[in-house]
């Protein structure tokens, strides 16, 4: 059994897809399949059930992935502890980030961090919140920018802060006049509005659905996108309304800009966190990144 085979199996388990796993690992898909077959033959078990639409873990695969994740985490722990013992100023941190949230926060954080820790390498991994939780759980990231609640129980977190949720409407929408008046909008008022939302698998879509349901209605979804910028542009073009995290709402964008309105008390918000695996050794580089992130985000609120 080779160390790289453990990494390959974990990546396949995270992606549930050989092609995506091969892309993330930067190897050819036939090579990945060959290595997995070699591993399964050596172990005498089938780790993954393959079909035309998905790849699923067998029971043996579940046990293997859990143990392999622990082995890789132990190796990384040893490497990081030795690095810290040697008191090197160099280091590396793999940071997972939700693409849109990261796009509006990391440009504030990374320059500050690099000025203070010029020799620490930061590797950024962008994915949906659901996938980031899985990747963080198996050690593919040292830490990840996410929002509560977390679904994977082996993760813990440090709170960055609360981010309010705003309403976005087209400029010609009757509610847009409230921007000048300061009148706040109740979520219940949106029950008959067409909604544009993110696609399933993204944490903020789940939050949007839950906020609407708590207000007593199911949002009438007319369009979905993987990209929050697209969602906002479609709102600006008059196709519907949406909810937007405040850090994203306040950032400059393209010519298609909707009107942003604060919602009524109690103002909905999401809790942004830096998440990492419970019990994972936290390197000095990762600790420094967390402290820098917390300090910068506090200054933006």
């Amino acid at each position: 059994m080779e160390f790289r085979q453990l990494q390959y199996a974990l990546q396949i388990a995270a992606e549930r897809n050989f092609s995506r796993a091969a892309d993330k690992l930067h190897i050819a898909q036939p090579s990945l399949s060959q290595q997995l077959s070699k591993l399964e033959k050596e172990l005498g078990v089938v780790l993954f059930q393959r079909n035309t639409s998905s790849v699923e873990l067998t029971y043996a695969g579940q046990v293997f992935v859990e143990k392999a994740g622990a082995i890789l985490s132990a190796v990384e722990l040893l490497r990081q502890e030795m690095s810290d013992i040697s008191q090197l100023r160099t280091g590396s941190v793999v940071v997972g980030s939700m693409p849109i949230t990261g796009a509006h926060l990391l440009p504030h954080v990374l320059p500050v961090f690099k000025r203070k820790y010029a020799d620490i390498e930061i590797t950024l991994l962008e994915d949906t919140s659901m996938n980031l939780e899985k990747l963080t759980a198996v050690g593919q990231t040292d830490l990840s920018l996410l929002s509560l609640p977390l679904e994977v129980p082996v993760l813990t977190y440090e709170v960055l802060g609360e981010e309010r949720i705003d309403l976005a409407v087209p400029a010609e929408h009757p509610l847009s006049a409230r921007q000048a008046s300061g009148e706040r909008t109740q979520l219940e008022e949106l029950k008959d509005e067409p909604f544009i939302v993110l696609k399933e698998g993204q944490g903020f879509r789940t939050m949007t659905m839950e906020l609407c349901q708590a207000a007593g209605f199911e949002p009438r979804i007319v369009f979905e996108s993987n990209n929050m910028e697209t969602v906002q542009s479609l709102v600006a073009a008059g196709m519907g309304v949406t909810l937007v995290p405040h850090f994203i709402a306040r950032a400059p964008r393209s010519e298609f800009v909707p009107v942003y309105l604060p919602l009524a008390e109690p103002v909905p918000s999401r809790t942004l966190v830096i998440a990492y695996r419970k019990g994972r050794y936290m390197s000095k580089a990762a600790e420094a990144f967390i402290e820098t992130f917390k300090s910068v985000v506090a200054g933006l609120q």
Side-chain angles (χ1 to χ4, degrees):
M1 188 186 308
E2 300 178 23
F3 187 77
R4 62 174 177 168
Q5 291 173 330
L6 304 186
Q7 296 174 309
Y8 291 173
L10 286 176
Q11 193 69 54
I12 296 169
E15 299 295 334
R16 293 294 200 272
N17 181 282
F18 275 80
S19 179
R20 289 197 299 270
D23 286 342
K24 293 287 179 67
L25 292 164
H26 304 293
I27 64 173
Q29 184 176 335
S31 297
L32 178 61
S33 299
Q34 183 180 30
Q35 285 297 321
L36 180 64
S37 296
K38 181 180 177 182
L39 176 62
E40 290 177 324
K41 184 177 180 180
E42 178 183 348
L43 296 174
V45 296
V46 175
L47 300 178
F48 297 94
Q49 292 287 356
R50 295 87 150 170
N51 57 53
T52 56
S53 60
S54 66
V55 176
E56 299 296 334
L57 284 164
T58 63
Y59 174 72
Q62 293 174 5
V63 174
F64 183 87
V65 165
E66 179 182 354
K67 301 298 183 182
I71 291 169
L72 294 182
S73 293
V75 171
E76 179 63 16
L77 183 153
L78 178 61
R79 184 192 68 78
Q80 291 180 342
E81 285 186 339
M82 293 302 101
S83 175
D84 284 348
I85 289 172
S86 69
Q87 297 185 350
L88 294 175
R89 296 195 175 194
T90 60
S92 64
V93 185
V94 180
V95 179
S97 175
M98 300 175 288
I100 301 303
T101 303
H104 293 283
L105 289 181
L106 291 175
H108 295 283
V109 176
L110 290 179
V112 175
F113 184 81
K114 293 304 289 184
R115 283 197 296 270
K116 295 172 67 176
Y117 306 99
D119 294 325
I120 295 178
E121 179 184 356
I122 298 294
T123 301
L124 182 62
L125 191 160
E126 293 183 307
D127 213 322
T128 65
S129 55
M130 182 182 299
N131 285 341
L132 282 175
E133 287 194 38
K134 295 175 183 177
L135 294 172
T136 306
V138 298
Q140 296 295 301
T141 72
D142 295 306
L143 42 89
S144 288
L145 171 62
L146 295 165
S147 62
L148 296 183
L150 302 180
E151 302 295 330
V152 177
V154 300
L155 297 182
T156 188
Y157 59 87
E158 294 192 31
V159 174
L160 292 173
E162 292 292 317
E163 179 185 21
R164 85 173 195 228
I165 306 302
D166 291 335
L167 169 66
V169 301
E172 65 274 14
H173 195 286
L175 290 175
S176 66
R178 295 182 180 179
Q179 187 180 53
S181 68
E183 180 183 354
R184 301 217 166 198
T185 302
Q186 300 282 348
L187 271 172
E188 301 93 290
E189 297 179 67
L190 307 176
K191 64 181 180 179
D192 296 322
E193 297 287 344
F195 269 77
I196 302 170
V197 298
L198 293 171
K199 290 186 177 181
E200 291 187 5
Q202 304 202 47
F204 193 72
R205 180 216 170 89
T206 301
M207 173 169 283
T208 298
M209 302 297 289
E210 290 176 348
L211 286 172
C212 291
Q213 290 162 359
F217 69 95
E218 291 286 339
R220 180 166 61 89
I221 298 172
V222 297
F223 201 85
E224 299 174 328
S225 173
N226 283 319
N227 191 310
M228 180 59 83
E229 302 290 2
T230 302
V231 169
Q232 294 176 94
S233 294
L234 292 174
V235 170
M239 292 186 64
V241 303
T242 196
L243 301 181
V244 183
H246 181 64
F247 285 136
I248 296 174
R250 75 180 199 168
R253 276 170 314 281
S254 68
E255 58 185 300
F256 298 102
V257 181
V259 173
Y260 298 100
L261 303 170
L263 291 162
E265 298 287 349
V267 178
S269 65
R270 66 172 179 172
T271 304
L272 293 175
V273 300
I274 287 287
Y276 47 90
R277 184 184 173 92
K278 292 178 183 176
R280 181 183 176 88
Y281 175 76
M282 189 67 66
S283 70
K284 291 180 180 178
E287 288 179 349
F289 187 84
I290 291 174
E291 290 307 310
T292 302
F293 212 130
K294 290 167 70 173
S295 174
V296 172
V297 170
L300 295 174
Q301 294 174 324

